[in-house]
Amino acid sequence: MVDYLFPKKSHRPPVERGDILVFKLPSDTSIVYVKRVVGMPGDTIEMRDGVLHINGNPVKRERLDDFIEQTSSKAMRRVPRFRETLPNGATYDTLDLTPDSQLDNTREYNVPDGHYFVLGDHRDHSIDSRVRTRVGYVPASNVVGIAIGVYYSGETRSLTWRTLKPAGRVH
């Protein structure tokens, strides 16, 4: 399935925790990435046993029903799904396919001024700020916009518009 995202562009987007950020990859600005903002300038970010910690505090994580995922071989598998609630009240679902995966326990990251820390919602299949050599901290100058909607064109060739808005955030 192909996803088309529509970012809200502005000269200086008011980025907040929970936003889905469209940005130029710091290591290669010809590539555009899409990830969720979890860390703001001055924050410390750490993953401990798969739980996101912001400024030393664990982010609320509640277990939901499993997500049913189709693998590349067309097999169906159950993936543990969680709802995270950030300190500003933004909520979203994450997937955690492998307990104790390589990025489930990290060092503490100190987000520099003028930068953001981003994570993918499918935590075990995401190259994000935890991978410093590929993404690392995202400079504000690399922000293209904040994703406000998705337009799908899949195998069925059906088209759907879905608004992307973290709970508590008004665009």
Side-chain angles (χ1 to χ4, degrees):
M1 181 178 340
V2 177
D3 293 353
Y4 295 94
L5 289 168
F6 291 89
K8 177 181 179 181
K9 296 181 181 183
S10 68
H11 297 300
R12 296 183 68 186
V15 176
E16 296 182 19
R17 278 191 189 91
D19 284 343
I20 299 170
L21 201 64
V22 180
F23 60 95
K24 294 177 186 176
L25 188 63
S27 61
D28 182 351
T29 57
S30 68
I31 299 172
V32 175
Y33 261 38
V34 178
K35 302 289 177 189
R36 188 175 303 279
V37 175
V38 298
M40 303 298 286
D43 284 345
T44 57
I45 304 294
E46 183 179 8
M47 296 295 295
R48 293 186 213 151
D49 297 321
V51 178
L52 171 63
H53 286 70
I54 300 175
N55 299 321
N57 299 311
V59 167
K60 180 181 175 189
R61 187 178 191 225
E62 129 188 42
R63 185 72 159 88
L64 302 173
D65 291 337
D66 287 346
F67 177 77
I68 307 300
E69 179 177 73
Q70 186 174 8
T71 67
S72 58
S73 64
K74 305 291 185 200
M76 304 302 269
R77 71 174 164 200
R78 300 178 80 80
V79 180
R81 185 170 54 130
F82 298 86
R83 173 146 308 132
E84 285 186 348
T85 302
L86 295 174
N88 66 349
T91 61
Y92 51 88
D93 295 351
T94 64
L95 301 178
D96 189 10
L97 180 62
T98 309
D100 200 30
S101 69
Q102 180 180 1
L103 296 173
D104 278 351
N105 290 287
T106 68
R107 66 177 186 80
E108 189 174 88
Y109 301 95
N110 297 303
V111 184
D113 286 341
H115 292 74
Y116 303 104
F117 194 93
V118 296
L119 291 177
D121 290 346
H122 198 326
R123 296 287 164 80
D124 296 325
H125 287 199
S126 182
I127 303 298
D128 49 39
S129 289
R130 298 172 293 177
V131 184
R132 298 282 312 275
T133 57
R134 297 278 302 277
V135 179
Y137 305 115
V138 177
S141 59
N142 286 33
V143 173
V144 173
I146 298 165
I148 58 168
V150 175
Y151 184 69
Y152 292 99
S153 174
E155 292 176 8
T156 62
R157 301 198 184 274
S158 62
L159 305 175
T160 305
W161 172 259
R162 185 180 82 204
T163 301
L164 299 174
K165 184 168 50 171
R169 172 82 195 245
V170 177
H171 291 280

